[in-house]
Amino acid sequence: MKFRLALHIGLLILVLISGTLLSNYTYTYLNKPATQIMGIVKGNFYFFKKKKKDSGEIPKVFYPRLGKAVYYPMTVANRAVRYYRKVMAGEDMDKSREIFLRHVEWLKNNLKIHHRDTIEFGLWESDFPYPYGIYDLEVPWRSAMVQGSGIFALTKAYELTKDKNYLDYAQKALRAFYLDVKDGGVSYKDQPDQWWFEEYAGSKKGEPRVFNGAIYSLLDIHYYWEITKDKNAGILFEKGLNSIRNNLSTYDTGWWTFYDALGNIATKHYHEDHIKLTRKLYEITQDATFLEFSEKWAKYHDNYFLREFLRQRPDYHDMTILGLNLIFSFIIVYVVWGILFFYYRTKKSNLHAS
């Protein structure tokens, strides 16, 4: 009896060790299944539903913790750009153009106009809590990344139609970058020549200063400047660029990168994003500082389990990935043990028979 108990304890320890080690190699492949499992557990049965043919309707995003689907302006903007690229590729051009412009019209109609002192500016506001208390955002919350995505889509609409009305809306959205977060804008004005563009503006838990969000905003502003040569966009780009450049080292752990200024470590996806984005800034500016950090970060190789479970508190997504690996390891270990046990019993029986 004691032997059997010890044997099973040993096997379970082996399952734990092998499952942990296996997660370092499988987490990339298990990202999507883990997300689906989490959604199902939280009541989202979308994955069991038959996918409908794309009708070109304005998309909603289902958030399990909200228990409902909501409009998220950045999703609309990104989908608009996807259809713009279809138009440029000659893929079902008439339909793609119609869907693209329908999405852009939604962005125009949902840009909330505000006034502060003598400044008229537009904001795409999100009236749902997100991301679930991580930054404890006040509803409605604002985002420099959302602003940039919307400006990018509107600029593409101008390129396609030459209708300057789209640029008028883009310019109103651009003005939100001139206002500090505390004043209802999306920037932290650290120095006269250094402004940080905040992805999650209005957090009650300090200043998140999400790294990839600031750079994506900056790149969208630069694209708008390339098309319009708007001097205000040029000024914003320089201020934002200075802030990114002077904060690069603060996002370097020495072995990986931080996702934000609050000490959250980047996932592998976001770490790779940081490498690509800093290289993109180098290509635009030819500033060797960005290339230096991009190449430095590309050399970092980290252990998934160490990064997600020991160096920070794992989230439910990580726990699901680990759980899947433990289940797989459990099956393999006990199947192998069962085969070996069966072989041992068969061999023992044959010896007694002879």
Side-chain angles (χ1 to χ4, degrees):
M1 189 70 177
K2 290 182 179 180
F3 172 75
R4 286 185 178 179
L5 179 61
L7 175 63
H8 284 290
I9 290 174
L11 289 173
L12 290 174
I13 291 174
L14 181 59
V15 167
L16 182 61
I17 294 172
S18 60
T20 299
L21 294 175
L22 191 61
S23 66
N24 291 316
Y25 302 96
T26 62
Y27 70 94
T28 300
Y29 306 103
L30 292 177
N31 263 323
K32 187 174 181 180
T35 300
Q36 293 176 344
I37 290 171
M38 288 172 61
I40 293 168
V41 168
K42 294 169 185 174
N44 176 17
F45 296 95
Y46 167 79
F47 303 106
F48 288 123
K49 295 178 182 178
K50 184 178 179 181
K51 289 187 177 180
K52 297 180 180 179
K53 186 177 180 181
D54 186 1
S55 64
E57 294 178 358
I58 305 302
K60 283 187 173 182
V61 181
F62 181 88
Y63 291 109
R65 295 191 188 184
L66 294 179
K68 62 179 180 180
V70 295
Y71 289 114
Y72 183 31
M74 189 162 69
T75 300
V76 178
N78 290 342
R79 195 162 186 263
V81 173
R82 193 179 85 194
Y83 276 99
Y84 173 84
R85 288 172 179 154
K86 286 186 176 184
V87 174
M88 293 297 100
E91 183 179 338
D92 200 0
M93 288 183 62
D94 291 337
K95 181 181 178 181
S96 295
R97 178 190 171 96
E98 189 272 327
I99 294 175
F100 165 64
L101 293 177
R102 188 191 310 164
H103 282 62
V104 174
E105 286 299 315
W106 186 94
L107 291 170
K108 284 173 53 182
N109 295 335
N110 286 273
L111 184 69
K112 305 290 180 63
I113 304 302
H114 297 268
H115 295 84
R116 180 138 190 128
D117 299 327
T118 60
I119 301 176
E120 181 186 68
F121 63 100
L123 284 170
W124 285 288
E125 298 174 340
S126 298
D127 58 357
F128 56 91
Y130 179 82
Y132 313 130
I134 294 175
Y135 300 130
D136 199 9
L137 296 162
E138 293 184 347
V139 177
W141 53 275
R142 315 170 303 284
S143 169
M145 192 170 173
V146 170
Q147 293 294 119
S149 298
I151 290 169
F152 186 81
L154 288 166
T155 307
K156 288 294 186 185
Y158 165 73
E159 285 189 89
L160 184 66
T161 65
K162 301 306 177 186
D163 185 346
K164 291 187 177 180
N165 187 44
Y166 292 117
L167 292 186
D168 291 339
Y169 278 86
Q171 189 177 64
K172 290 176 184 178
L174 185 75
R175 291 181 194 140
F177 287 92
Y178 271 94
L179 290 171
D180 198 289
V181 170
K182 68 178 186 297
D183 295 324
V186 294
S187 298
Y188 294 121
K189 299 180 179 181
D190 300 320
Q191 300 289 337
D193 64 339
Q194 295 180 39
W195 293 5
W196 186 273
F197 304 143
E198 179 57 77
E199 180 176 350
Y200 296 111
S203 172
K204 295 179 183 178
K205 295 185 177 180
E207 300 176 359
R209 296 185 182 240
V210 176
F211 190 65
N212 79 92
I215 299 181
Y216 276 121
S217 307
L218 192 64
L219 294 175
D220 289 332
I221 290 172
H222 182 264
Y223 183 77
Y224 173 80
W225 173 82
E226 280 189 314
I227 300 303
T228 66
K229 302 304 178 186
D230 184 333
K231 65 178 183 180
N232 291 320
I235 292 170
L236 284 171
F237 179 76
E238 289 301 323
K239 290 178 182 291
L241 187 70
N242 290 337
S243 188
I244 295 292
R245 183 192 298 109
N246 292 328
N247 283 282
L248 285 169
S249 60
T250 65
Y251 289 87
D252 186 354
T253 70
W255 49 270
W256 205 250
T257 54
F258 287 112
Y259 173 74
D260 59 22
L262 302 182
N264 292 305
I265 298 170
T267 62
K268 186 174 185 293
H269 165 75
Y270 283 115
H271 178 72
E272 291 175 348
D273 222 18
H274 296 164
I275 295 167
K276 294 174 184 176
L277 289 170
T278 45
R279 179 170 285 276
K280 180 67 176 177
L281 289 178
Y282 165 71
E283 292 171 357
I284 292 173
T285 66
Q286 293 300 297
D287 186 331
T289 304
F290 295 113
L291 181 62
E292 175 190 343
F293 275 88
S294 180
E295 292 181 341
K296 179 183 180 183
W297 292 341
K299 294 176 183 177
Y300 288 161
H301 298 285
D302 189 42
N303 179 288
Y304 167 76
F305 186 82
L306 179 65
R307 181 179 75 244
E308 298 296 335
F309 287 85
L310 300 182
R311 284 178 163 153
Q312 62 181 333
R313 189 173 70 177
D315 58 20
Y316 291 119
H317 188 264
D318 295 318
M319 295 297 292
T320 304
I321 289 175
L322 178 61
L324 290 171
N325 280 291
L326 290 175
I327 291 171
F328 180 73
S329 297
F330 180 88
I331 294 171
I332 295 299
V333 167
Y334 271 84
V335 165
V336 171
W337 175 77
I339 292 172
L340 292 175
F341 181 74
F342 177 78
Y343 176 76
Y344 167 76
R345 291 292 297 270
T346 302
K347 189 173 182 180
K348 188 176 179 180
S349 297
N350 291 338
L351 286 174
H352 283 303
S354 61

